[in-house]
Amino acid sequence: MFSVPLGYLRRQFNFSRDVRLFLLYNLLANVGWGVFTLIFNLYLRELNLREDDMGAFSAAQTLAMAGGAATMGAVLDRLGIWRSIVSGVSVFLFASLGLAFAEARPLLLVLSAISGLGLAYLFTTTMPFVIAWTRRDERQFVSALSFSVTSLSLTFGSLLGGFLPDVLPGGDLQTFRWTLVAGTGIAALGLVPMLLMGPARRGGGLPDPTAVKEATDPSERRRVRRDVTVFVLVGGLMAVGAGMVFPFFNVYLTTQGADSTTIGYVYALGSLSAAVVGLSAPFISRRLGSLYGVAAVRLSIVPFYLALILTPGLPLAAITHIVRQTSISMAWPIDSTFIAEVLPPRARTRVYGLRAAAWNLGFSAASLVAGVLIVNIGYAVTFLNLIVFTALAMAIFVGYYSRHPRVRSGELSSALPRWQRRQMPAAELVEETI
């Protein structure tokens, strides 16, 4: 029963010191985001702002994240991964502190955009760092562990965000404000392990003899461009569904009778489940393969949101949030590692930034529209949009990559279910050499 988790722990001792420091950085830096996610909309409500205002601030933030992510490939090449992370997180911390004290709409809008630029480097640099500083046989587990550590951080941030408003003196506005400040202060400690790094701070990365060779002839280049385009498109479609729901779900919970403490517990349970269950992502990937594993995990949320449309209620809403958080933590390591194995090094350096840009553009546009829809129609229509766009994205993902030459030939055997790999001699040879 405990063989898989204990095996993971044993493998952890093979990680380099810089990778462990990176995991500690993730643990601390994401506390601020956990607090922000839980409290900021509630803070805005105390300023007498509505869901359409919240949608505008979310749109400004995610548009800026899209801009930052779109240029990330060039920035990483120029500054290196370490400098990019430290600079981006510093920008996020500055903006978060400003948002805790801002009350005027124009200032909130500007600071939301600045925080989005920093968040692009907080989120999107995880996989480039993992790819650069881990061996191929470590990547999927390290990426899963990184997302699980982030989820633990969000758990703490959610608990902090739910707990502090009840114990801090003053009215709701002041307690929400100082809760945001406390979260930002803890997140700032995440820069300490970054400053303690050695080889990663100096730049470069581990040699990767397993990487796909760079495309040389026109047909190979076209295929690489198609691979990148489909991966980015799938992220954009997922974002449209997510942007309809995620920025407003804490407010939705209040419509079902939850207070800030209850919301904190719900978000903390979601993050804790993501941290623990998310570690099973490599196991799911080995059993179902990357393609069908991602689809199964992503689509697992559909029945819950469908039920929430038909029979809304606080317990079901809480369970839905927990399932959603867990599915994100499980799916990202699988499909991010998969695309790193499909693409040559130069293309994979920029694909994460492009995917993040598409995600944030779709998320921004969707959240802007969703704020208006919620005010005028209600939450059910946004849940339905999430279902439709998730299903469409997974149909494209599986449909395209299942026919990819490297998958069909067996060279990328990890993409296929175990039973199908056994029927492919070429795949078995590849598996034995990895």
Side-chain angles (χ1 to χ4, degrees):
M1 176 176 164
F2 296 102
S3 60
V4 173
L6 290 176
Y8 287 162
L9 291 175
R10 283 194 294 269
R11 290 176 62 186
Q12 186 174 2
F13 291 101
N14 293 324
F15 302 160
S16 69
R17 177 176 178 270
D18 283 359
V19 171
R20 297 187 189 200
L21 287 170
F22 182 75
L23 294 174
L24 179 58
Y25 145 77
N26 261 339
L27 182 66
L28 294 169
N30 281 281
V31 170
W33 179 242
V35 173
F36 186 94
T37 301
L38 184 80
I39 293 298
F40 188 62
N41 279 353
L42 305 180
Y43 171 73
L44 294 177
R45 232 184 184 188
E46 290 301 314
L47 295 175
N48 297 316
L49 300 173
R50 304 188 309 171
E51 282 87 349
D52 48 354
D53 295 305
M54 298 172 194
F57 299 139
S58 177
Q61 185 179 71
T62 49
L63 276 174
M65 287 175 68
T71 61
M72 187 159 298
V75 173
L76 291 179
D77 288 341
R78 184 174 182 82
L79 297 182
I81 297 174
W82 185 88
R83 290 182 181 179
S84 300
I85 293 173
V86 171
S87 301
V89 172
S90 298
V91 170
F92 166 68
L93 294 172
F94 165 79
S96 295
L97 193 61
L99 284 167
F101 292 94
E103 296 187 11
R105 283 185 181 88
L107 183 57
L108 286 164
L109 199 64
V110 170
L111 288 172
S112 293
I114 294 173
S115 73
L117 287 173
L119 282 170
Y121 290 86
L122 176 63
F123 295 146
T124 314
T125 51
T126 295
M127 285 307 300
F129 186 95
V130 170
I131 296 299
W133 293 103
T134 58
R135 302 187 308 270
R136 181 180 178 181
D137 62 320
E138 295 176 329
R139 284 175 188 163
Q140 194 167 96
F141 175 69
V142 174
S143 59
L145 185 59
S146 180
F147 281 99
S148 291
V149 166
T150 299
S151 296
L152 282 175
S153 182
L154 295 176
T155 300
F156 183 75
S158 297
L159 289 173
L160 184 69
F163 172 74
L164 283 182
D166 286 341
V167 299
L168 290 173
D172 286 344
L173 180 63
Q174 293 301 319
T175 58
F176 288 152
R177 171 172 291 157
W178 288 107
T179 298
L180 290 170
V181 171
T184 303
I186 296 173
L189 296 175
L191 294 177
V192 175
M194 292 298 296
L195 296 173
L196 295 175
M197 288 184 178
R201 183 175 180 176
R202 292 189 291 272
L206 298 179
D208 184 9
T210 67
V212 180
K213 293 181 179 179
E214 295 292 344
T216 54
D217 64 65
S219 63
E220 289 178 341
R221 291 195 188 98
R222 284 195 297 271
R223 192 184 72 196
V224 169
R225 286 195 295 269
R226 285 196 302 269
D227 294 345
V228 170
T229 300
V230 171
F231 191 67
V232 171
L233 173 63
V234 168
L237 291 172
M238 291 288 299
V240 172
M244 287 277 179
V245 175
F246 298 171
F248 311 99
F249 205 77
N250 53 352
V251 180
Y252 174 75
L253 290 173
T254 66
T255 69
Q256 301 299 309
D259 57 16
S260 64
T261 303
T262 302
I263 298 171
Y265 285 133
V266 170
Y267 273 58
L269 283 172
S271 299
L272 185 61
S273 174
V276 176
V277 183
L279 288 174
S280 67
F283 176 77
I284 297 293
S285 180
R286 285 196 299 271
R287 288 284 183 179
L288 300 180
S290 301
L291 289 176
Y292 300 112
V294 167
V297 172
R298 296 278 193 200
L299 293 172
S300 65
I301 65 172
V302 168
F304 293 92
Y305 280 101
L306 185 59
L308 205 56
I309 293 172
L310 301 174
T311 57
L314 182 56
L316 179 59
I319 294 170
T320 300
H321 175 79
I322 292 168
V323 172
R324 189 263 291 184
Q325 286 286 90
T326 306
S327 71
I328 292 172
S329 183
M330 293 177 68
W332 272 105
I334 301 174
D335 65 5
S336 297
T337 305
F338 168 76
I339 198 64
E341 294 176 352
V342 168
L343 295 174
R346 239 180 300 177
R348 74 189 185 194
T349 298
R350 66 177 187 271
V351 73
Y352 298 114
L354 292 174
R355 167 114 168 193
W359 174 275
N360 289 303
L361 284 172
F363 196 96
S364 174
S367 63
L368 195 60
V369 173
V372 177
L373 289 176
I374 291 169
V375 170
N376 292 282
I377 300 175
Y379 284 90
V381 65
T382 64
F383 297 160
L384 182 60
N385 272 282
L386 173 63
I387 293 170
V388 170
F389 280 98
T390 299
L392 179 60
M394 288 302 95
I396 293 173
F397 181 78
V398 174
Y400 175 81
Y401 287 112
S402 63
R403 297 194 298 269
H404 194 280
R406 297 193 63 220
V407 173
R408 296 183 68 179
S409 69
E411 183 184 353
L412 242 175
S413 59
S414 60
L416 301 172
R418 178 174 290 183
W419 64 267
Q420 196 169 348
R421 295 199 296 266
R422 289 171 180 167
Q423 299 175 6
M424 302 177 66
E428 292 175 356
L429 289 174
V430 172
E431 285 185 315
E432 290 174 2
T433 60
I434 294 176

